[in-house]
Amino acid sequence: MMHEKPVLIREDGLRHDGRRPDELRPIKMEVGVLSNADGSAYVEFGGTKVLAAVYGPREVHPRHLALPDRALLRCRYHMAPFSTMDRKSPAPSRREIELSKVIREALESLIFVDLYPRTSIDIFIEVLQADGGTRTTGLTAASLALADAGIPMRDLAAGVAVGKIDGVLVLDIDEVEDEYGEADMPIGYAPSIDEIVLLQLNGVLSLDEFRQALELAKKGATMIYKMMKETLHNKYLRILSEE
Amino acid sequence: MSDSMASTKKLVSPGDELGVEEEYFTGPGTYIDRKGKIRSQLLGKVLIDIVNRRIVVKHIKGKPRIPRQGDIVIGIVESVSNDLAFIDITSIENTNVKSTDFTGIIHISQASKEYLETMYDALRVGDVIRAKVLNNSNPYQLTIKDPNLGVIAAFCTKCGSLLKKQDDRLICPVCGNIEKRKTSILYMFR
């Protein structure tokens, strides 16, 4: 299906959905949504809806995968068959396997895996509805779920994508902008310790544009990070005040 | 933890700055970053010991709840050999944790205060036991030596029905079979 390219940057300088270039989509976050998981979170970035669950530290099955000096981190990023316009086969695709790997590696750099040897920490990221930026939404949801599960981490990671559409650098691109834009750069950022944990780039950016895009992404991620902290605090402030 | 540990009302999340390296000794739930700042690892409460200058962060819900040395756990006997028994730890006592998923090992020397010819005289597959954790790493070593530890529910090896405790013996109410176990004084069926 190849459609006519839609107008991505309107004449008034706003994007096709009315956002400014440096504006995020409406974000909704909730933690502790699943009772069977040790930690869970639900995150919406506009039309992208993601559920994340964390189990562990728990015993590793199969046993031979256990690591003697640290916890085994396993991550499954999966898109529900109903998450896209055309039905997506529920079997893990090449893309999903890759995203599971990059998200796992992003979180592995933040989690203190050496505190729980011979155990596994399992992260499940389920995309319920996809509208661009699913890996960054997934990363955000996963770090909220990990904090909820009490897994020791160096910092929370916030994910956000920066894109270049019609020559303009824009924050938090959606499906349409990703499809017709020139570049897509998803970033995972831990603002408190100022570390980039995930960085991919699809498309072409000049060195100067790359630097600008990175700054824009850091700005966006810091905004998301603040919301993540607020969500966690709001959820547990009640428990604290009861004591 | 000593008595001088003062709890603050502050709720912190992972990555939050708690101070600088020179201020405190770091305890569980905290770490020192590359720039020498003390940061939180967890979502929880900050506890500061002013006397010993120690800082600790406790998770708000006590997670992750994994067995620790000294914990009393409930488990099911998974397999028994002459000198070892493997236990599926199902829960930790005095916590609201529904299930844990760890394996415990009981050596025959930790099964009873008296001499045992074989482990089969203390435990059988399927028994529900109450045990104490001896170490802090997986696989967990358990003991059932104490009088309040040991089998709290057992099944007849001949007919499979629930055994009742009479005096110091386990008797099957269906087939009258008498069995040998290391029972706890908390055995549930009499």
Side-chain angles (χ1 to χ4, degrees):
Chain A
M1 270 198 308
M2 197 61 199
H3 293 290
E4 191 99 341
K5 186 184 167 187
V7 181
L8 293 175
I9 300 286
R10 302 193 310 219
E11 274 179 30
D12 54 1
L14 297 179
R15 296 199 252 162
H16 76 105
D17 55 358
R19 282 188 287 157
R20 280 176 278 111
D22 62 346
E23 194 176 334
L24 295 165
R25 289 177 283 180
I27 294 174
K28 209 180 121 187
M29 290 176 187
E30 214 179 316
V31 289
V33 289
L34 304 172
S35 59
N36 286 348
D38 293 316
S40 57
Y42 172 74
V43 177
E44 272 182 38
F45 281 14
T48 301
K49 303 180 179 186
V50 174
L51 191 61
V54 168
Y55 292 81
R58 61 178 180 181
E59 204 155 272
V60 192
H61 290 291
R63 193 76 58 88
H64 73 266
L65 293 176
L67 302 167
D69 58 338
R70 62 197 158 100
L72 173 72
L73 195 65
R74 286 186 288 202
C75 180
R76 180 181 118 120
Y77 163 98
H78 183 247
M79 287 174 89
F82 51 81
S83 63
T84 46
M85 294 292 264
D86 303 302
R87 179 182 182 275
K88 195 217 144 275
S89 159
S93 62
R94 196 217 92 248
R95 178 179 170 276
E96 283 168 295
I97 294 165
E98 178 197 318
L99 294 195
S100 301
K101 177 185 173 285
V102 296
I103 293 171
R104 189 194 71 227
E105 285 173 355
L107 294 168
E108 205 158 28
S109 71
L110 293 174
I111 296 172
F112 288 88
V113 277
D114 49 339
L115 290 178
Y116 300 102
R118 273 173 241 168
T119 62
S120 77
I121 297 166
D122 298 313
I123 303 159
F124 298 91
I125 298 165
E126 195 70 24
V127 179
L128 303 178
Q129 187 173 291
D131 186 20
T134 55
R135 80 194 70 183
T136 50
T137 316
L139 178 68
T140 309
S143 42
L144 278 175
L146 283 163
D148 185 36
I151 310 288
M153 282 190 293
R154 284 160 62 222
D155 198 2
L156 296 168
V160 73
V162 171
K164 184 180 158 195
I165 52 170
D166 293 345
V168 185
L169 290 173
V170 295
L171 190 61
D172 194 15
I173 59 169
D174 64 19
E175 186 77 55
V176 180
E177 290 172 329
D178 186 16
E179 197 173 333
Y180 298 100
E182 291 109 73
D184 168 25
M185 185 164 83
I187 284 170
Y189 182 55
S192 283
I193 52 173
D194 191 25
E195 273 181 39
I196 291 165
V197 293
L198 184 155
L199 194 146
Q200 293 181 300
L201 173 56
N202 190 357
V204 182
L205 288 179
S206 72
L207 191 59
D208 208 38
E209 279 170 338
F210 175 79
R211 286 204 185 99
Q212 280 175 38
L214 209 58
E215 277 315 303
L216 190 61
K218 281 185 178 180
K219 218 179 87 189
T222 310
M223 284 191 269
I224 295 165
Y225 182 73
K226 277 189 189 135
M227 273 181 249
M228 292 166 77
K229 272 184 161 180
E230 255 170 53
T231 312
L232 288 171
H233 283 223
N234 290 342
K235 167 87 181 173
Y236 292 109
L237 224 50
R238 200 177 48 81
I239 297 175
L240 202 65
S241 60
E242 273 168 8
E243 280 168 21
Chain B
M1 258 171 253
S2 61
D3 298 327
S4 53
M5 215 70 173
S7 166
T8 51
K9 280 276 169 196
K10 223 175 100 192
L11 185 65
V12 291
S13 42
D16 280 1
E17 203 180 315
L18 305 174
V20 288
E21 204 175 356
E22 291 85 351
E23 279 182 273
Y24 304 104
F25 293 106
T26 52
T30 61
Y31 75 98
I32 297 165
D33 73 5
R34 283 172 204 168
K35 288 173 187 143
K37 282 177 178 151
I38 302 172
R39 291 184 186 277
S40 171
Q41 290 181 341
L42 301 169
L43 171 73
K45 285 183 292 182
V46 185
L47 303 173
I48 297 172
D49 183 340
I50 305 148
V51 178
N52 300 314
R53 299 214 69 81
R54 218 165 88 92
I55 191 162
V56 165
V57 175
K58 249 180 94 184
H59 187 261
I60 192 84
K61 287 204 284 191
K63 284 177 181 175
R65 198 65 190 108
I66 61 171
R68 288 268 158 232
Q69 193 174 356
D71 280 354
I72 303 290
V73 295
I74 306 291
I76 296 167
V77 180
E78 274 302 299
S79 74
V80 182
S81 68
N82 242 332
D83 59 344
L84 282 179
F86 288 84
I87 316 296
D88 248 17
I89 299 171
T90 55
S91 70
I92 306 167
E93 216 167 78
N94 299 325
T95 62
N96 51 7
V97 178
K98 277 168 289 182
S99 68
T100 57
D101 187 32
F102 289 101
T103 303
I105 295 172
I106 299 177
H107 185 248
I108 192 159
S109 63
Q110 292 296 342
S112 173
K113 279 181 177 154
E114 282 132 46
Y115 172 75
L116 283 174
E117 191 77 35
T118 138
M119 199 58 152
Y120 295 98
D121 290 342
L123 297 170
R124 291 295 180 110
V125 170
D127 289 358
V128 182
I129 66 156
R130 190 168 176 269
K132 194 164 90 179
V133 181
L134 293 174
N135 65 343
N136 261 331
S137 65
N138 186 9
Y140 293 98
Q141 315 270 352
L142 307 176
T143 178
I144 51 168
K145 263 184 167 177
D146 284 1
N148 56 359
L149 303 176
V151 178
I152 55 170
F155 301 92
C156 177
T157 46
K158 282 195 176 145
C159 68
S161 48
L162 202 58
L163 295 172
K164 301 257 159 126
K165 191 177 184 182
Q166 276 177 16
D167 305 323
D168 263 358
R169 301 185 304 175
L170 288 178
I171 295 175
C172 175
V174 178
C175 63
N177 189 25
I178 296 170
E179 306 235 354
K180 230 173 158 184
R181 297 294 150 83
K182 183 348 186 149
T183 53
S184 159
I185 54 168
L186 301 167
Y187 192 85
M188 299 203 293
F189 306 96
R190 274 161 211 280

